[in-house]
Amino acid sequence: MAGDHLEVLTALDVAKTQLYHFKAIVIAGMGFFTDAYDLFCISLITKLLGRIYYYQEGSDRPGSLPPNVAAAVNGVAFCGTLSGQLFFGWLGDKMGRKRVYGMTLVIMVVCSIASGLSFGSSATGTMATLCFFRFWLGFGIGGDYPLSATIMSEYANKKTRGAFIAAVFSMQGFGILAGGIVAIVVSAAFNNVYHALPFAQDPRGSTVPQADYVWRIILMFGAVPAALTYYWRMKMPETARYTALVAKNAKLAAADMSKVLNVELVEEQEKVERITKKDNNSFGLFSKEFARRHGLHLLGTTSTWFLLDIAFYSQNLFQKDIFSAIGWIPKASTMSAIEEVYRIARAQTLIALCGTVPGYWFTVGLIDIIGRFTIQLMGFFFMTVFMLALAIPYNHWTHSHIGFVVMYGLTFFFANFGPNSTTFIVPAEIFPARLRSTCHGISAACGKAGAIIGSFGFLYAAQNQDSTKTDKGYPPGIGVRNSLFVLAVCNVLGFFFTFLVPESKGRSLEDLSGENEQVEQTDQERPPITFHM
C-alpha cells in the first residue's frame, strides 16, 4: 500500500537485531515472569491452606479448602486480571505505555507482599484478606498483558517481531518454573528443620505451626523480580509509535529512537500532523469505521483467546490424576503438610520443564518462519486430536498411566506451541496504534473469562456422575470423559475462528492496521480485508 511512512517508524521496522531489543525483551519479560509466578504459585499452596485452616479434629483425612473457598482463593486473581486487562489496556492508549507500565509494577510488588501478610482472627478472616489482596494483585498483573505485548511489538523490527513478542510471553513458562523451584526450596528447608510425622501417624502434629510461614514466603517472593525491574522500566523511553501517532510529538519520537538505534533521525512534525488528521486515523473503537475495518479481527482475537483458555486452564483438572497415577504424589494421609507442598511443587516443576517451557520456545524459533496463522491452526488441531485421544478410550487410560501422561504432555506442548502464544501476539500487531493497547486488553480479558470458566466451571463439571464418588463438598457432574469431549469441541471452534485473524508475519504495524493508507482512496479502491481460507 502506498502512503506516508515516518522515517522513525521505518527505521524501527528495518533495524537489525541489537542490544536494545534484548533489553526490551528482558524488561518486558520479567514482568511476565512475575505475572506467571504470582498467578500459578497459588496452586502449590492450596492444599497446605486447607490443612492449616480447615482441619476438623477427629477427622480421618487432612483438612481441605471447602469448594467455595477454593474457588475464591484460586479464582479471585483471575477476576482481578480480567479487570486490569480492560482498565490498563484502555489507559495505555490514553496516558502512554511507559507511564502506565510503572503503575502495574508497583501494584504487583505491594500486593505480592500484602498477600503473604494476610491476617485474620479466624480461617474465614485470613482467607478473605488473602482474596482481597490477590484480587488487586491480579489487577496489576492484568495491566502487564496489553502493555508488555504492545511495547514489544512497537519496539521490534518487522522481520523478527513475532519472535520478540513470543520471547516476552515465554517468560511465563520460566515464571511457572520459578514458582515450583521456590516452593521446593522453602518447603525442603522447613521440612528439614521442622520435620513432622505423616498425617496417618499424627493427625494434629503433621501440620507444624511453622507451616504457616511456608505459604506466606512463597507468595511474597513474587515481589522480588517485579521490584528488580522497576528501575529499568522507568528508564525505557516511550515507544515511537505512541509518541508520534498518538501523542503527535515527532520531535520526541525522533530523539528517543535516535538514542535507542544509535542513528540520526529526522523530525517530521508536518508528516505526523498529516497522517494523524486522515479520516482513517481518527475513528474510535465504537465507530462504524472500526467495525468495518477491524470488527472481524477483534471477533477473531477475542473468540480464539476465550476458547483457548477454556481448554488450557481446564487441563489443570487432570494434574492430580496424573501425579497420583505415576506416584509423584502419594496419598495425603501418608505425608506431613510441608512434605505435601514439596511433592506438589516437584511434580508441577517437572511438568513445566518437560511440557510447558519447550512449547513456548518452539514458537519463538518458528513463528517468523511459518507464521502466526499456521502455528495457531496447528495448535488447535493437535489439541483437538489429543483431547479426543484421551476422551474416546478414557477407560483404557485409567489402566495405562504412561499413555495418559504422554497424551496430556502433548496437549500442553501444542497449546504453548500454538494458540496460547499466538493469541497473545496477534492482537498487539493488527490494530491501530491509538487503539492497540485497548484492543489487546479486550482480547486478553475475553481469554481470562475463558480461564475462569475452564478453571472453575469444569472443576464442577468433571466431577463423577455418581454422587458417592465426587470430591468432598462437590455435587455430581458430567464426568472427566464427557468434559474432555466438551473441551475438544472448544478447540474445534477455536480452529475455525482462527480464519478471522489475518497473518501478520513480516509486515509493518502501520500496513497491518491501515494507518498508511492514502486518505484519497474510496471504499471501492481501498483493498478489502482478506482472510485465510
Side-chain angles (χ1 to χ4, degrees):
M1 282 181 285
D4 289 315
H5 292 264
L6 289 172
E7 181 186 339
V8 64
L9 304 187
T10 302
L12 283 168
D13 279 339
V14 301
K16 292 182 178 179
T17 301
Q18 50 191 283
L19 181 61
Y20 87 87
H21 286 119
F22 294 104
K23 285 180 66 176
I25 289 171
V26 171
I27 294 167
M30 285 307 292
F32 244 81
F33 176 97
T34 306
D35 298 347
Y37 181 98
D38 288 332
L39 280 179
F40 291 95
C41 70
I42 195 70
S43 63
L44 302 169
I45 63 169
T46 49
K47 287 187 178 294
L48 178 61
L49 292 173
R51 287 203 186 217
I52 295 171
Y53 294 103
Y54 289 92
Y55 171 65
Q56 295 177 351
E57 197 69 48
S59 174
D60 61 350
R61 63 175 68 182
S64 61
L65 296 177
N68 61 327
V69 177
V73 169
N74 284 285
V76 71
F78 287 150
C79 296
T81 303
L82 189 155
S83 305
Q85 286 164 337
L86 292 172
F87 177 73
F88 287 114
W90 168 78
L91 204 62
D93 284 332
K94 295 299 179 185
M95 295 178 59
R97 292 50 161 134
K98 175 187 173 180
R99 189 184 303 178
V100 180
Y101 214 23
M103 296 179 192
T104 63
L105 210 59
V106 170
I107 293 171
M108 287 158 60
V109 171
V110 171
C111 291
S112 289
I113 296 171
S115 295
L117 298 175
S118 298
F119 54 87
S121 57
S122 64
T124 302
T126 303
M127 293 302 106
T129 310
L130 176 62
C131 288
F132 175 81
F133 289 121
R134 290 281 298 173
F135 175 86
W136 290 108
L137 174 64
F139 190 70
I141 289 171
D144 241 36
Y145 277 73
L147 294 168
S148 292
T150 300
I151 286 172
M152 198 65 245
S153 74
E154 293 182 346
Y155 262 108
N157 61 55
K158 62 183 179 182
K159 184 179 179 181
T160 57
R161 185 177 61 236
F164 289 158
I165 306 174
V168 169
F169 191 64
S170 71
M171 293 301 288
Q172 186 177 80
F174 289 112
I176 296 170
L177 199 61
I181 292 170
V182 169
I184 288 171
V185 172
V186 173
S187 59
F190 272 77
N191 198 40
N192 186 54
V193 178
Y194 305 105
H195 186 70
L197 293 171
F199 178 85
Q201 297 180 32
D202 185 0
R204 171 60 68 179
S206 66
T207 305
V208 296
Q210 292 80 8
D212 195 53
Y213 295 114
V214 172
W215 69 269
R216 296 178 186 275
I217 291 171
I218 292 170
L219 290 183
M220 286 193 285
F221 191 84
V224 175
L228 290 176
T229 54
Y230 181 79
Y231 171 78
W232 295 108
R233 278 200 183 186
M234 294 299 95
K235 290 283 287 183
M236 284 181 75
E238 181 59 85
T239 70
R241 286 182 161 91
Y242 180 85
T243 306
L245 299 176
V246 184
K248 304 177 185 178
N249 190 334
K251 182 178 181 180
L252 182 59
D256 284 343
M257 292 306 105
S258 293
K259 293 177 184 177
V260 168
L261 299 172
N262 293 316
V263 295
E264 286 297 321
L265 295 171
V266 178
E267 175 189 334
E268 299 175 292
Q269 188 62 40
E270 289 184 9
K271 189 180 286 188
V272 165
E273 296 290 343
R274 186 165 66 249
I275 291 171
T276 55
K277 286 180 180 178
K278 290 179 181 180
D279 290 342
N280 60 323
N281 286 334
S282 59
F283 57 82
L285 179 65
F286 300 105
S287 66
K288 290 182 179 179
E289 186 66 8
F290 178 87
R292 188 183 72 80
R293 287 171 171 269
H294 299 292
L296 289 176
H297 292 166
L298 189 59
L299 175 61
T301 58
T302 53
S303 59
T304 52
W305 206 335
F306 173 78
L307 292 162
L308 174 275
D309 273 8
I310 290 176
F312 184 75
Y313 281 87
S314 67
Q315 289 180 96
N316 294 324
L317 292 173
F318 316 119
Q319 284 196 10
K320 61 178 178 15
D321 299 323
I322 293 168
F323 296 161
S324 299
I326 61 179
W328 285 352
I329 300 181
K331 291 184 177 180
S333 61
T334 64
M335 298 179 286
S336 67
I338 297 177
E339 183 185 354
E340 188 174 33
V341 175
Y342 174 83
R343 297 270 190 166
I344 293 170
R346 188 179 67 174
Q348 293 198 12
T349 301
L350 285 170
I351 288 288
L353 195 60
C354 298
T356 306
V357 173
Y360 286 120
W361 286 96
F362 266 75
T363 302
V364 173
L366 295 173
I367 191 165
D368 287 312
I369 298 173
I370 63 178
R372 291 80 161 136
F373 177 80
T374 302
I375 288 178
Q376 184 162 311
L377 215 57
M378 176 193 68
F380 272 125
F381 175 79
F382 281 110
M383 287 175 72
T384 303
V385 169
F386 291 119
M387 284 284 186
L388 291 175
L390 286 170
I392 294 171
Y394 182 72
N395 292 330
H396 166 74
W397 295 128
T398 59
H399 304 291
S400 178
H401 303 318
I402 294 176
F404 192 92
V405 172
V406 171
M407 292 293 179
Y408 177 80
L410 285 170
T411 308
F412 253 119
F413 175 82
F414 280 105
N416 293 317
F417 180 39
N420 192 42
S421 296
T422 54
T423 52
F424 175 80
I425 295 165
V426 174
E429 299 180 306
I430 63 176
F431 298 106
R434 66 188 181 282
L435 300 171
R436 185 169 291 134
S437 179
T438 301
C439 290
H440 193 286
I442 292 170
S443 302
C446 287
K448 206 51 65 183
I452 293 169
I453 293 172
S455 296
F456 309 108
F458 280 86
L459 190 62
Y460 286 86
Q463 293 298 319
N464 200 294
Q465 292 170 294
D466 184 347
S467 60
T468 63
K469 296 180 181 179
T470 62
D471 292 340
K472 183 181 178 182
Y474 288 90
I478 61 175
V480 172
R481 185 170 184 264
N482 290 330
S483 294
L484 284 167
F485 280 119
V486 174
L487 295 177
V489 171
C490 289
N491 290 325
V492 170
L493 291 173
F495 180 91
F496 286 108
F497 274 107
T498 297
F499 286 91
L500 296 177
V501 183
E503 177 58 75
S504 51
K505 181 184 74 170
R507 297 178 62 190
S508 164
L509 295 179
E510 288 68 48
D511 288 341
L512 283 164
S513 64
E515 289 165 293
N516 278 338
E517 287 185 11
Q518 290 283 22
V519 72
E520 292 82 13
Q521 287 179 303
T522 65
D523 287 348
Q524 288 73 31
E525 294 170 331
R526 185 178 292 123
I529 296 173
T530 57
F531 304 99
H532 296 267
M533 293 302 291

